[in-house]
Amino acid sequence: IALKFNCTDWLFFDVFGQSVPVAEDGSFRYETNMMLPGEATLRVGRKRFELFLMPGGKLEVTINLPEIFWSESHLFGKKENGQLIWFEGTYAALNTELVKHAGLMNIYSADHFYENICGVTPAQYKKYVTKIYEKNRGEILKNKSLSDAARTYMINKLEMSYFFAIRGYKGNISYAPMISGKKGVKRADMTVDESYYDDILELDFIHSPYIRYGSYPDFVRAATEDFKGKFEPQPVWEDILRAKPLGSTLARLKPLSEKQMLTLDSISEPEIKKALTVKNKEVMDLLAESANKTGYTVCQLDTAVTADGLLAVVTRPYRGKVVLIDMWNTWCGPCMRAMNSLKPVKEELKDVVYVYIADESSPEGKWKITIPDIHGIHYRITNEQSSALGKLYEYPGIPTYFVIDREGKLSYKVTGFPGAEVMKEELLKAGK
């Protein structure tokens, strides 16, 4: 199993998170750079644990994996019977409180949130979201067992969540049918006047120093774009607005361009400049290290190649051999686990050609750093080609596998890893 860690960093937020592998003895370790104290997330299965981390600190986490997966199973009724996580070290007590009451800090944690906002008007949406906010705030304030630190932090996070939920009403209502799976939902008129935002512009967190413990750059962008003139600009805002695009590039493990390096030079805040400089060097070192590895080949596919001819173009150079095509992406955990399970088969069936196809949803830098450890032939196709291929061959997701026989014909297709033995059997069958 691999854990997923995500630090709500000012500069390098990665929506998919970083994989934290668990050793055979059950231990795991991860280090992250931080400029300020702030929030992070540790995901295990479908469980999400909210953390608070401190620069220079060390938080020791013990996870009850059996209980977590029992609680997610239909067999055990999806009930939690025991404690799922324990903390020791820096801010252990605070983290224990936050994990226990995490749902109160996030507007979107409300039951059936997206289902309940399908087709609503902006006014109805605001009323619904405000009701969640007021309910959660009331529960936090009346909970006498909370420490002052936990209560302050939770209220700050809840207000921030409320701010962005109201600010993002249009996107939330628009995407609600897709997220919830509801079909045939009619979209209401999304027009609002300036008074729609009056309540969130008066929230206390805006004037609190703790605002910087969260997604501060997102607030800066909102303050300078959506609510221009409503706030007095802070000296650091200009540096944040320059730094954020650079951080997004580096989060995709892509080094800064010459033009971006000039932008970096214009940033005056030393800690922001230092963080970007260090990260850029790390990315360049990773790419250089990957380039020196062997056992893999990168091939280019013309963007004009259509779905009906894509498999033939990719496999034509290997006619006379069996080819296994693995459709995957760097963010796909099941894809990576399946690759590990297939390693013994690859060692045994060395005459088979192994082709790996990802698309543009795999950040180019992340893809380049990942593939040297996946021996075989690698392609990175466009999202349009990937979508068309999925429609043509009617597969709903990844990993998806194609086995092409010696004559270039498709002999087996499956979505979801069928197991190493089944895959081995199909490869042998295609070679006869």
Side-chain angles (χ1 to χ4, degrees):
I1 185 174
L3 313 181
K4 283 286 188 177
F5 175 85
N6 214 327
C7 184
T8 308
D9 190 280
W10 276 20
L11 304 175
F12 311 118
F13 179 73
D14 179 1
V15 66
F16 298 115
Q18 299 296 315
S19 294
V20 183
V22 179
E24 289 186 7
D25 65 357
S27 64
F28 60 94
R29 180 181 177 85
Y30 190 82
E31 292 186 7
T32 187
N33 293 322
M34 302 184 73
M35 292 189 294
L36 289 169
E39 60 194 51
T41 303
L42 188 65
R43 282 178 286 155
V44 188
R46 289 189 293 272
K47 293 294 182 186
R48 175 188 174 104
F49 299 107
E50 302 287 344
L51 310 178
F52 182 83
L53 302 181
M54 192 78 172
K58 181 180 180 181
L59 184 66
E60 296 181 10
V61 182
T62 302
I63 300 173
N64 188 344
L65 282 180
E67 184 67 40
I68 286 173
F69 287 103
W70 288 338
S71 70
E72 293 180 352
S73 73
H74 293 285
L75 179 63
F76 287 89
K78 295 188 176 182
K79 294 180 180 178
E80 294 178 13
N81 299 311
Q83 190 168 345
L84 302 182
I85 192 166
W86 295 263
F87 300 101
E88 293 181 60
T90 309
Y91 280 94
L94 177 61
N95 277 286
T96 300
E97 292 184 275
L98 296 182
V99 161
K100 187 175 181 181
H101 304 287
L104 296 177
M105 300 185 288
N106 190 346
I107 295 293
Y108 302 99
S109 294
D111 291 339
H112 311 294
F113 177 85
Y114 287 102
E115 186 177 335
N116 291 338
I117 64 172
C118 283
V120 301
T121 65
Q124 291 170 327
Y125 171 83
K126 183 179 180 181
K127 183 178 180 180
Y128 172 68
V129 169
T130 301
K131 185 177 180 180
I132 297 171
Y133 166 70
E134 291 175 345
K135 175 180 176 294
N136 289 6
R137 185 183 178 90
E139 289 190 30
I140 294 171
L141 292 174
K142 74 180 182 183
N143 190 334
K144 302 300 182 183
S145 67
L146 287 174
S147 66
D148 290 342
R151 185 176 293 105
T152 300
Y153 182 73
M154 290 172 66
I155 290 292
N156 190 74
K157 276 209 67 178
L158 175 62
E159 289 191 354
M160 187 177 292
S161 178
Y162 180 51
F163 177 91
F164 286 112
I166 296 298
R167 179 223 179 193
Y169 78 91
K170 189 178 294 184
N172 288 335
I173 295 173
S174 299
Y175 286 108
M178 181 184 71
I179 295 172
S180 63
K182 280 191 173 183
K183 296 182 179 180
V185 177
K186 293 183 179 180
R187 184 178 299 180
D189 180 8
M190 294 291 176
T191 307
V192 299
D193 57 34
E194 285 194 11
S195 65
Y196 189 81
Y197 304 106
D198 286 350
D199 295 338
I200 64 172
L201 297 179
E202 298 297 324
L203 291 170
D204 292 337
F205 90 97
I206 291 170
H207 309 289
S208 166
Y210 305 126
I211 188 175
R212 298 191 177 194
Y213 287 5
S215 304
Y216 189 52
D218 293 332
F219 171 77
V220 172
R221 187 181 295 111
T224 54
E225 294 177 2
D226 301 342
F227 306 118
K228 191 173 183 179
K230 300 288 186 180
F231 301 99
E232 183 179 348
Q234 301 297 310
V236 75
W237 284 12
E238 190 173 339
D239 280 340
I240 289 175
L241 294 173
R242 290 176 181 173
K244 188 61 178 174
L246 306 185
S248 298
T249 296
L250 293 170
R252 299 194 300 270
L253 298 181
K254 188 175 181 180
L256 300 180
S257 66
E258 290 185 13
K259 184 178 180 180
Q260 288 174 316
M261 289 299 295
L262 292 176
T263 302
L264 174 59
D265 290 339
S266 70
I267 293 173
S268 58
E269 171 55 52
E271 288 300 322
I272 293 179
K273 180 179 285 189
K274 177 183 175 183
L276 290 167
T277 302
V278 170
K279 185 70 171 181
N280 190 50
K281 185 178 185 306
E282 288 178 357
V283 170
M284 292 178 71
D285 288 345
L286 277 172
L287 290 171
E289 181 183 340
S290 298
N292 290 327
K293 293 182 178 179
T294 59
Y296 73 104
T297 302
V298 176
C299 296
Q300 298 291 329
L301 185 70
D302 195 316
T303 57
V305 175
T306 56
D308 56 354
L310 195 148
L311 297 189
V313 171
V314 167
T315 59
R316 188 174 295 127
Y318 316 109
R319 200 58 42 87
K321 290 190 173 184
V322 174
V323 180
L324 172 62
I325 298 176
D326 184 337
M327 307 298 298
W328 73 294
N329 273 303
T330 55
W331 44 263
C332 174
C335 299
M336 305 303 292
R337 290 193 289 274
M339 288 178 190
N340 286 330
S341 298
L342 267 180
K343 283 181 179 178
V345 176
K346 290 176 70 174
E347 285 295 317
E348 183 177 350
L349 305 182
K350 294 183 181 295
D351 288 339
V352 173
V353 177
Y354 299 92
V355 176
Y356 298 89
I357 301 178
D359 60 34
E360 292 169 316
S361 68
S362 293
E364 187 175 3
K366 177 73 171 178
W367 178 74
K368 285 182 177 179
I369 287 170
T370 304
I371 61 174
D373 295 319
I374 307 171
H375 291 181
I377 312 299
H378 288 272
Y379 288 87
R380 184 170 175 268
I381 62 178
T382 67
N383 288 336
E384 290 76 16
Q385 287 172 318
S386 179
S387 177
L389 200 64
K391 290 178 181 178
L392 177 64
Y393 288 96
E394 299 181 337
Y395 62 87
I398 54 174
T400 288
Y401 305 91
F402 299 96
V403 175
I404 311 298
D405 66 18
R406 297 182 187 279
E407 296 178 357
K409 296 178 181 179
L410 177 63
S411 68
Y412 178 69
K413 175 180 75 73
V414 65
T415 296
F417 185 54
E421 286 303 316
V422 171
M423 194 65 76
K424 176 183 175 181
E425 182 181 335
E426 293 296 334
L427 292 170
L428 291 172
K429 191 187 302 182
K432 292 181 179 178

